[in-house]
Amino acid sequence: MTAASRAVDTLAVRAEGDLLHVSATKVVDPTDAYLTGHFPGFAIYPGVFFIETLEQAVAGALPGRPRLTVLRSARFTAPVLDGDRLRMELTIDHSGQPVLARARCYRGDGTRCADLVAEFDGGCP
Amino acid sequence: MMDHAALRAILPQRSPMLLLDRVVEVVPGERLTAVKAVTGAEPCYRHLPPDAAADDLAYPTALLVESLGQAAAILWFLGRPDERSGRLPLLAGLRDVALTGAAYPGDLVRHEVRLDQILDGVAFAVGEIWVGERRICTVGSLLAVVRPPSSLAVREPEPKERDDDRHHQPVRATA
C-alpha cells in the first residue's frame, strides 16, 4: 500500500482476546515532503495524516493487509506542530468483519488532539 | 473555470500538499467540481519497494480526502473571501467517509462538493470523489474551520495527561 508519508515511528501491540491494544507514536517532522507545503514556514500535522497514522498502525498490528473501508468519524481538536510527538492509542476489535478500530490521539503535552473510528476489511489476527 | 494559478491565490497549501489542479465548474455558495491529476512523480510514490504490484499504487486515502477538502475550501472562500484573510483553513472533522474504490497514477480524480452549512469561521461540506464513471469515495460530512496561525502556536506549559471525556472540548473551543 502506498503511504502518504511515514506516519508511525514506534508501534506497541498487546493482545487481549479478540482485541488488540495498540500504541503508535509519530514525531512531526517539518522536513517531511508533504509538510513543507502544509504550511510553508509553519508545519502543522494535517488532519488527514491521522488517517494515515491509523492505517499504518492497523497494518502494523494486524496481518492480512487490512484495508480501510469506512471512516465513521474523525475529530481533530488540537493542532500538532513541528516537533510535537503524537501518540495514538488504538483498540482494534477483530472478532468479525469488518474489523473495527477506535483511536484516541494525544500530543506530547497530553492534550487530546484527535479521535477516529474506522472499519477495515481483510485483516486477520 | 479556475486554473491552478487561481487556486494558489486562494489556498495557503503549497506543493506537494496543494492537491488540486483545476476547478471545472462552480455554482458559488452551492457546489463545485474540481479535478486533480494523480501522477507517479508524487512524493508518496518515492519509497515504494522495487517489486510493488499495481494494487500497491493506490493513491493514499489521506491525500484523496485532503484533495476533496481543498475543493470544499475553494467553494467556501469564493463566497466569503474575508474568512481566509490572515487565517489558515484546517480540517476539524469527518463523518461517514466510505471508500469504494481507488485512484492510481494516470487517473484524473474529480471532486463533486457541496456546501451544507456556513457559520462564522466554520464550514460543513459533503462530497464525492470520482475517477471517470467510478465513484471511489463518499464523504458524508466534512467540517472545516479557519484559525489565525498565532492561535495555533500556543502550547500547554505542563506535560500532563488528560485522558477522560470530561476534557474533550468541542472543536470551536480548542483548535
Side-chain angles (χ1 to χ4, degrees):
Chain A
M1 191 183 75
T2 299
S5 174
R6 176 189 161 115
V8 170
D9 294 332
T10 70
L11 190 74
V13 184
R14 180 170 57 85
E16 181 194 352
D18 285 336
L19 300 180
L20 293 174
H21 300 284
V22 180
S23 183
T25 66
K26 160 74 188 168
V27 175
V28 176
D29 176 1
T31 66
D32 176 279
Y34 286 101
L35 256 65
T36 59
H38 190 280
F39 298 89
F42 190 76
I44 304 179
Y45 200 60
V48 293
F49 275 27
F50 287 88
I51 305 173
E52 185 68 45
T53 298
L54 176 70
E55 289 183 283
Q56 290 181 25
V58 170
L62 204 60
R65 296 171 67 89
R67 191 174 58 85
L68 175 65
T69 51
V70 177
L71 179 65
R72 290 188 188 173
S73 66
R75 286 184 296 195
F76 310 105
T77 47
V80 184
L81 306 178
D82 170 359
D84 273 343
R85 183 169 171 274
L86 158 73
R87 178 167 56 87
M88 176 177 281
E89 296 294 338
L90 178 63
T91 303
I92 302 172
D93 180 344
H94 57 80
S95 59
Q97 292 282 341
V99 169
L100 189 63
R102 293 176 183 275
R104 287 184 177 186
C105 302
Y106 303 88
R107 280 196 314 217
D109 65 2
T111 302
R112 191 156 152 192
C113 52
D115 283 17
L116 301 100
V117 181
E119 298 175 12
F120 287 78
D121 267 356
C124 56
Chain B
M1 192 181 96
M2 298 171 69
D3 62 18
H4 194 65
L7 303 183
R8 288 181 92 245
I10 293 177
L11 294 174
Q13 292 89 350
R14 284 297 175 261
S15 172
M17 198 58 171
L18 182 50
L19 297 173
L20 210 57
D21 290 328
R22 186 180 290 167
V23 169
V24 293
E25 192 187 357
V26 59
V27 179
E30 196 177 318
R31 64 181 170 84
L32 174 147
T33 302
V35 294
K36 181 226 169 350
V38 174
T39 102
E42 291 191 44
C44 60
Y45 294 116
R46 240 179 237 168
H47 302 293
L48 280 175
D51 58 346
D55 254 10
D56 294 331
L57 273 67
Y59 196 61
T61 309
L63 300 177
L64 263 187
V65 173
E66 174 69 20
S67 180
L68 177 134
Q70 291 179 10
I74 290 286
L75 180 56
W76 180 15
F77 296 149
L78 278 177
R80 295 193 168 203
D82 292 348
E83 292 276 59
R84 66 186 169 86
S85 171
R87 301 194 283 184
L88 296 173
L90 296 173
L91 181 61
L94 292 163
R95 189 161 288 281
D96 300 328
V97 178
L99 296 148
T100 50
Y104 297 88
D107 282 340
L108 189 68
V109 167
R110 187 173 81 254
H111 302 296
E112 309 271 357
V113 295
R114 282 189 296 112
L115 283 177
D116 200 25
Q117 192 180 7
I118 300 286
L119 304 166
D120 187 27
V122 181
F124 292 85
V126 301
E128 296 180 343
I129 306 176
W130 293 76
V131 174
E133 297 304 304
R134 281 189 300 127
R135 185 173 59 196
I136 62 168
C137 179
T138 307
V139 175
S141 177
L142 179 149
L143 168 61
V145 298
V146 281
R147 290 284 179 270
S150 58
S151 76
L152 302 172
V154 176
R155 312 234 181 161
E156 303 272 326
E158 282 287 300
K160 205 176 171 196
E161 194 74 7
R162 300 197 314 193
D163 261 33
D164 54 333
D165 280 315
R166 284 178 299 132
H167 294 289
H168 194 76
Q169 299 164 335
V171 166
R172 251 159 279 166
T174 58

